[in-house]
Amino acid sequence: FLILVIENIGAYAIPSWRDSKINTLIKIKDSAYAFNLPDGMYYPTVLRLPAYYPEGYRTVVRTDTPQSLENCSLVLQNGEDEYIILKQATSYTSGIISGEAREAPMINGVQAEALVDQKGYFYLIWQYDGYYFFLGANALPLEEQVKMAESIK
């Protein structure tokens, strides 16, 4: 994995090459917040990750750093054109998504907002533990989105 930090805003993990020095640098097992990457690599995170992931989806992009709580995201992909986007923000406006409002479910006892954006992604938007979460998907049933959202702790 090659990890790029762009303007101290995000880190992008890109499958490319492996180097033992890089592996040593990113194995931070004592961190309270660690994301377990494939084959045992670790790096710290501020993004609250769901405990439940729909079958077949894999992480393709992560944008978060321990220094940046303002707007973090995770992109999952299943096949060629099925995506899930999870954003976490400290304010509603820093993660704002515009679209057409839809009927929204409750997420862990909190009334969520729901909308469909101009690209056809169905988003659930809710607040939990001081953060705003935006969970969008273009091919995932609402029940699966709710299950994924409720697994974020």
Side-chain angles (χ1 to χ4, degrees):
F1 281 84
L2 173 62
I3 299 177
L4 305 172
V5 178
I6 300 173
E7 297 179 19
N8 290 329
I9 293 175
Y12 296 83
I14 304 168
S16 61
W17 53 271
R18 298 284 301 270
D19 178 282
S20 62
K21 292 174 185 156
I22 296 291
N23 288 343
T24 301
L25 290 174
I26 61 177
K27 284 186 180 180
I28 304 173
K29 294 184 179 182
D30 297 330
S31 172
Y33 300 99
F35 176 70
N36 192 0
L37 294 168
D39 65 4
M41 295 186 327
Y42 289 85
Y43 81 89
T45 183
V46 294
L47 178 63
R48 291 187 182 232
L49 299 170
Y52 171 77
Y53 290 86
E55 188 175 331
Y57 282 86
R58 63 181 180 82
T59 303
V60 291
V61 176
R62 284 207 38 187
T63 59
D64 66 319
T65 66
Q67 297 78 26
S68 175
L69 291 173
E70 183 63 23
N71 196 343
C72 307
S73 62
L74 174 71
V75 179
L76 305 172
Q77 182 178 7
N78 183 12
E80 299 219 4
D81 59 358
E82 293 182 9
Y83 292 93
I84 298 173
I85 300 168
L86 173 63
K87 287 185 169 187
Q88 172 186 314
T90 55
S91 69
Y92 188 87
T93 56
S94 65
I96 192 100
I97 298 160
S98 61
E100 182 182 328
R102 298 293 169 104
E103 186 175 339
M106 300 285 281
I107 296 176
N108 291 328
V110 174
Q111 182 61 55
E113 295 178 47
L115 58 87
V116 175
D117 75 2
Q118 60 274 22
K119 293 182 180 178
Y121 282 76
F122 185 88
Y123 276 90
L124 295 176
I125 304 163
W126 74 101
Q127 190 174 11
Y128 172 72
D129 199 25
Y131 293 102
Y132 287 89
F133 291 90
F134 305 80
L135 178 62
N138 65 345
L140 192 67
L142 177 60
E143 298 78 23
E144 288 284 291
Q145 276 186 274
V146 170
K147 187 173 180 180
M148 189 174 179
E150 288 183 335
S151 76
I152 297 171
K153 302 289 182 197

